[in-house]
Amino acid sequence: MESRKEGYRGSGKQKMVKIVFVIGGPGSGKGTQCKRIAQQFGYTHLSVGELLRQEINSGSETGSMIQKIMKEGKLVPSDVTVRLLQQAMRGMDSDKFLIDGFPRNEENVKTFENLTKMDPEFVLYLDCPQDEMERRLLTRNEGREDDNIETIRKRFKVFMESTLPAVQYYESKGKVKKVDAGKPVDEVFESIKVIFSQRKDDKVRPNRHNHTCLIL
Ligand SMILES: Nc1ncnc2c1ncn2[C@@H]1O[C@H](COP(=O)(O)OP(=O)(O)O)[C@@H](O)[C@H]1O
Ligand SMILES: Nc1ccn([C@@H]2O[C@H](COP(=O)(O)OP(=O)(O)O)[C@@H](O)[C@H]2O)c(=O)n1
Ligand SMILES: [Mg+2]
């Protein structure tokens, strides 16, 4: 399917943007691969988890609500998440967004559709065995409150019960590109490169100013 830019009207201003969602279990390598994709193909990388952590660090009331939910490995209400995402997209002078860690459930999907009237170009699904994801998270060492074995297990459960149905929704629309994310980083990126290189808009190497990863 040819890529198609969507009108983004959330702020009153019209902005033509293209979005790709990156979904995968906790520790599947979303952040790692998104950085590379952003650099090589000129996308702006937005990590929804990082946006939520920024809100926690701002000390707002919403932030303390988010912190409790994250610690439990649960999902933040979609209106909060999508609002943060919209704000971040509005603030960036970019027309290609790689949205990492979103959607996480069907409510995320519906809220995004309702508020932005946009559809992703496609959904990159990083498929990784759970024991490998667990190993990676336990050695990630980013000081995250949710990277402990108890919360990790809860996050796996949420992934199976809530996120996989969202993947299935996009599968039914023919929008999912799945890669085996259990392999070493470079090998996973090789598979991802094939997917992005096949797309007309992404073939051309981006200009250098487009390489920014906004949040990470
Ligand atoms: N393919 C891979 N093989 C081994 N380790 C990986 C791989 N991809 C990522 N990692 C490491 O695993 C941890 C989780 O990766 P990350 O990109 O943060 O995943 P996610 O954003 O999906 O939770 C990090 O420490 C990262 O360096
Ligand atoms: N769409 C999203 C994304 C993240 N989150 C919350 O943020 C946490 C961390 O998300 P993340 O994407 O940074 O986690 P990783 O998969 O990168 O390990 C999740 O476990 C949820 O609590 C959410 O509620 N909704
Ligand atoms: Mg991540």
Side-chain angles (χ1 to χ4, degrees):
M1 195 177 44
E2 287 294 291
S3 57
R4 186 167 53 90
K5 290 183 178 176
E6 307 271 346
Y8 176 57
R9 295 175 210 91
S11 61
K13 286 186 285 187
Q14 271 226 1
K15 189 169 163 183
M16 303 305 279
V17 299
K18 155 173 156 172
I19 53 173
V20 173
F21 288 150
V22 182
I23 305 185
S28 57
K30 299 181 295 297
T32 304
Q33 298 297 335
C34 281
K35 278 186 200 135
R36 292 185 168 212
I37 302 165
Q39 195 173 23
Q40 181 126 7
F41 296 100
Y43 282 78
T44 295
H45 173 199
L46 282 175
S47 160
V48 171
E50 288 297 328
L51 290 173
L52 293 168
R53 282 185 282 276
Q54 273 198 344
E55 186 65 31
I56 294 175
N57 292 335
S58 78
S60 70
E61 261 181 49
T62 307
S64 49
M65 178 267 282
I66 293 171
Q67 186 171 26
K68 286 194 198 100
I69 293 172
M70 257 198 199
K71 238 180 175 168
E72 281 297 306
K74 293 181 182 157
L75 297 179
V76 174
S78 300
D79 54 334
V80 173
T81 312
V82 174
R83 187 173 47 78
L84 289 174
L85 195 48
Q86 274 186 306
Q87 267 172 18
M89 287 171 70
R90 280 175 198 148
M92 289 302 293
D93 183 23
S94 174
D95 63 354
K96 285 163 77 173
F97 290 95
L98 200 55
I99 302 184
D100 161 2
F102 186 93
R104 269 329 221 253
N105 63 6
E106 288 174 296
E107 187 201 59
N108 274 181
V109 173
K110 292 299 159 207
T111 306
F112 187 85
E113 285 177 351
N114 288 336
L115 292 181
T116 70
K117 315 289 179 215
M118 284 166 66
D119 231 10
E121 286 286 311
F122 66 95
V123 174
L124 179 66
Y125 170 38
L126 302 187
D127 186 25
C128 189
Q130 190 167 306
D131 56 350
E132 173 64 16
M133 295 196 285
E134 189 176 300
R135 258 195 302 279
R136 291 180 190 176
L137 292 176
L138 290 173
T139 53
R140 178 153 61 177
N141 271 332
E142 286 178 1
R144 277 175 50 172
E145 269 189 323
D146 55 350
D147 278 351
N148 61 79
I149 191 62
E150 195 189 334
T151 312
I152 287 169
R153 297 246 156 98
K154 289 181 183 162
R155 288 157 69 201
F156 286 151
K157 193 162 183 286
V158 168
F159 176 70
M160 303 293 287
E161 289 175 358
S162 304
T163 309
L164 285 181
V167 176
Q168 277 151 18
Y169 167 76
Y170 286 114
E171 251 157 15
S172 74
K173 297 176 83 167
K175 290 208 171 213
V176 176
K177 310 270 181 200
K178 180 161 107 170
V179 298
D180 175 1
K183 297 180 296 184
V185 174
D186 288 346
E187 285 180 40
V188 178
F189 190 55
E190 284 306 312
S191 317
I192 290 175
K193 269 202 305 207
V194 172
I195 294 168
F196 281 86
S197 302
Q198 281 165 352
R199 306 193 70 84
K200 200 179 79 187
D201 280 9
D202 297 331
K203 257 187 195 152
V204 184
R205 275 190 71 92
N207 75 53
R208 300 185 68 78
H209 303 294
N210 245 354
H211 288 190
T212 42
C213 162
L214 172 62
I215 302 300
L216 291 176

